[in-house]
Amino acid sequence: MILGHTLGLFTHPDQEWLSIREERATTGRLYVQHTLLLALIPTIAAYIGSTQVGWAIGSEETVKLTQVSAFNLCALFYVAMLSGIYILGKFIDFMAITYGVDKNAPRGIELAAYAATPLFIMGAIAVYPNIWVDMFAGLVGVSYSVYLLYEGLPILMKIPKERGFMFATSVLTVGLVMLVALIATSVVIWSVGIGPVYTN
């Protein structure tokens, strides 16, 4: 199973990127055996954390979401993660030509999905909604995802490390722009009535 690459990306990332490069999975298989499953981790954790545990900011009362509200928001979050991987992957394929990558062998979605693996795994911490713990876990996840991006891109795309560094920096920039766009979209969605509904 492609999900088997998950452990390898944490224990021996260079060898695992080489294995991924040789495997050449289709987008459908990649999603079914990797992305769809791992994206459930932060989704389910967020649902449990927001409905069963609740948030407590400072000394204020614990705040929980209704089950319907949490389900709707978590479902949107799940779709946003899957869409984000796909869109970022297509951007990577679009930019690849500039960096001398073979345009007949697109690998952008694979790169985006596997580089995001630490974020999916660290998303499990959402089951305990504490802002400082979640921020620290998020920082660790983002840091390792960025490392995987810079380490894996030249291997997967078969380009020199120097060119891979510039390419990875461009990908990171696009990812940050997408994050800002996601935040703006969330504000719009909340404004039309699909926002959080609290139990108290």
Side-chain angles (χ1 to χ4, degrees):
M1 283 184 64
I2 294 180
L3 194 57
H5 291 304
T6 303
L7 181 60
L9 288 170
F10 287 94
T11 56
H12 43 79
D14 285 354
Q15 295 93 321
E16 206 61 39
W17 279 119
L18 286 170
S19 175
I20 292 167
R21 185 176 76 185
E22 297 306 316
E23 193 172 70
R24 292 209 56 82
T26 64
T27 300
R29 184 168 169 238
L30 174 67
Y31 262 73
V32 168
Q33 295 184 353
H34 181 83
T35 313
L36 291 173
L37 298 174
L38 288 182
L40 283 173
I41 295 173
T43 305
I44 294 171
Y47 177 82
I48 295 171
S50 60
T51 58
Q52 305 303 313
V53 182
W55 289 90
I57 309 296
S59 59
E60 294 181 12
E61 186 180 355
T62 300
V63 176
K64 298 179 183 178
L65 297 181
T66 63
Q67 291 188 358
V68 173
S69 174
F71 178 83
N72 290 338
L73 293 174
C74 288
L76 287 173
F77 177 53
Y78 184 68
V79 171
M81 285 189 289
L82 299 180
S83 302
I85 293 292
Y86 184 82
I87 293 168
L88 182 59
K90 288 300 182 181
F91 268 111
I92 293 170
D93 289 336
F94 176 75
M95 293 186 292
I97 302 171
T98 306
Y99 293 92
V101 178
D102 182 7
K103 65 179 180 180
N104 297 316
R107 308 297 296 260
I109 296 175
E110 283 180 273
L111 179 67
Y114 286 119
T117 297
L119 291 173
F120 292 142
I121 300 295
M122 294 305 290
I125 202 68
V127 77
Y128 177 65
N130 177 285
I131 189 166
W132 300 113
V133 173
D134 289 357
M135 283 179 62
F136 177 75
L139 181 61
V140 171
V142 167
S143 299
Y144 198 73
S145 285
V146 170
Y147 166 74
L148 287 180
L149 173 65
Y150 277 90
E151 193 71 14
L153 190 146
I155 297 173
L156 196 62
M157 301 294 186
K158 298 182 182 179
I159 59 176
K161 282 204 169 188
E162 300 77 24
R163 203 181 305 163
F165 179 83
M166 295 301 297
F167 191 178
T169 302
S170 300
V171 172
L172 188 59
T173 303
V174 171
L176 291 173
V177 170
M178 287 178 60
L179 178 62
V180 172
L182 178 63
I183 293 170
T185 303
S186 299
V187 172
V188 173
I189 290 174
W190 285 23
S191 68
V192 296
I194 310 179
V197 178
Y198 305 102
T199 57
N200 49 8

mmCIF file of all heavy atoms in Angstrom, residues 54-63 200:
data_model
loop_
_atom_site.group_PDB
_atom_site.id
_atom_site.type_symbol
_atom_site.label_atom_id
_atom_site.label_comp_id
_atom_site.label_asym_id
_atom_site.label_seq_id
_atom_site.Cartn_x
_atom_site.Cartn_y
_atom_site.Cartn_z
ATOM 1 N N GLY A 54 -13.717 20.445 23.962
ATOM 2 C CA GLY A 54 -13.992 21.878 23.980
ATOM 3 C C GLY A 54 -12.746 22.728 24.188
ATOM 4 O O GLY A 54 -11.699 22.254 24.625
ATOM 5 N N TRP A 55 -12.896 23.991 23.833
ATOM 6 C CA TRP A 55 -11.810 24.974 23.955
ATOM 7 C C TRP A 55 -11.968 25.773 25.231
ATOM 8 O O TRP A 55 -13.075 26.116 25.615
ATOM 9 C CB TRP A 55 -11.845 25.949 22.769
ATOM 10 C CG TRP A 55 -11.429 25.334 21.465
ATOM 11 C CD1 TRP A 55 -12.241 24.717 20.558
ATOM 12 C CD2 TRP A 55 -10.121 25.281 20.935
ATOM 13 N NE1 TRP A 55 -11.514 24.283 19.492
ATOM 14 C CE2 TRP A 55 -10.199 24.615 19.688
ATOM 15 C CE3 TRP A 55 -8.878 25.718 21.386
ATOM 16 C CZ2 TRP A 55 -9.090 24.390 18.894
ATOM 17 C CZ3 TRP A 55 -7.769 25.504 20.583
ATOM 18 C CH2 TRP A 55 -7.882 24.843 19.349
ATOM 19 N N ALA A 56 -10.852 26.074 25.854
ATOM 20 C CA ALA A 56 -10.857 26.952 27.022
ATOM 21 C C ALA A 56 -9.729 27.956 26.854
ATOM 22 O O ALA A 56 -8.561 27.595 26.903
ATOM 23 C CB ALA A 56 -10.667 26.155 28.298
ATOM 24 N N ILE A 57 -10.085 29.198 26.602
ATOM 25 C CA ILE A 57 -9.096 30.260 26.426
ATOM 26 C C ILE A 57 -8.930 30.972 27.756
ATOM 27 O O ILE A 57 -9.870 31.586 28.268
ATOM 28 C CB ILE A 57 -9.516 31.273 25.332
ATOM 29 C CG1 ILE A 57 -9.892 30.552 24.036
ATOM 30 C CG2 ILE A 57 -8.426 32.290 25.101
ATOM 31 C CD1 ILE A 57 -8.758 29.811 23.380
ATOM 32 N N GLY A 58 -7.731 30.891 28.328
ATOM 33 C CA GLY A 58 -7.486 31.518 29.622
ATOM 34 C C GLY A 58 -8.305 30.836 30.706
ATOM 35 O O GLY A 58 -8.359 29.620 30.809
ATOM 36 N N SER A 59 -8.983 31.637 31.513
ATOM 37 C CA SER A 59 -9.781 31.078 32.616
ATOM 38 C C SER A 59 -11.266 31.051 32.279
ATOM 39 O O SER A 59 -12.098 30.810 33.131
ATOM 40 C CB SER A 59 -9.573 31.924 33.882
ATOM 41 O OG SER A 59 -9.955 33.266 33.635
ATOM 42 N N GLU A 60 -11.579 31.283 31.009
ATOM 43 C CA GLU A 60 -12.982 31.316 30.612
ATOM 44 C C GLU A 60 -13.573 29.908 30.569
ATOM 45 O O GLU A 60 -12.869 28.907 30.580
ATOM 46 C CB GLU A 60 -13.120 31.992 29.239
ATOM 47 C CG GLU A 60 -12.736 33.465 29.251
ATOM 48 C CD GLU A 60 -12.909 34.089 27.879
ATOM 49 O OE1 GLU A 60 -13.524 33.443 27.018
ATOM 50 O OE2 GLU A 60 -12.427 35.213 27.693
ATOM 51 N N GLU A 61 -14.893 29.874 30.482
ATOM 52 C CA GLU A 61 -15.607 28.599 30.435
ATOM 53 C C GLU A 61 -15.282 27.838 29.153
ATOM 54 O O GLU A 61 -15.047 28.426 28.106
ATOM 55 C CB GLU A 61 -17.115 28.888 30.510
ATOM 56 C CG GLU A 61 -17.978 27.654 30.612
ATOM 57 C CD GLU A 61 -19.453 28.000 30.681
ATOM 58 O OE1 GLU A 61 -19.773 29.209 30.736
ATOM 59 O OE2 GLU A 61 -20.274 27.070 30.686
ATOM 60 N N THR A 62 -15.278 26.501 29.255
ATOM 61 C CA THR A 62 -15.004 25.662 28.083
ATOM 62 C C THR A 62 -16.110 25.826 27.049
ATOM 63 O O THR A 62 -17.297 25.829 27.380
ATOM 64 C CB THR A 62 -14.913 24.177 28.501
ATOM 65 O OG1 THR A 62 -13.864 24.031 29.452
ATOM 66 C CG2 THR A 62 -14.619 23.296 27.298
ATOM 67 N N VAL A 63 -15.693 25.975 25.781
ATOM 68 C CA VAL A 63 -16.636 26.184 24.683
ATOM 69 C C VAL A 63 -16.624 24.967 23.772
ATOM 70 O O VAL A 63 -15.559 24.495 23.359
ATOM 71 C CB VAL A 63 -16.254 27.443 23.867
ATOM 72 C CG1 VAL A 63 -17.173 27.605 22.674
ATOM 73 C CG2 VAL A 63 -16.277 28.672 24.751
ATOM 74 N N ASN A 200 -23.234 26.364 24.299
ATOM 75 C CA ASN A 200 -23.611 27.216 25.449
ATOM 76 C C ASN A 200 -23.362 28.669 25.136
ATOM 77 O O ASN A 200 -22.840 29.005 24.109
ATOM 78 C CB ASN A 200 -22.870 26.800 26.715
ATOM 79 C CG ASN A 200 -21.344 26.644 26.484
ATOM 80 O OD1 ASN A 200 -20.833 26.990 25.424
ATOM 81 N ND2 ASN A 200 -20.670 26.138 27.489
#
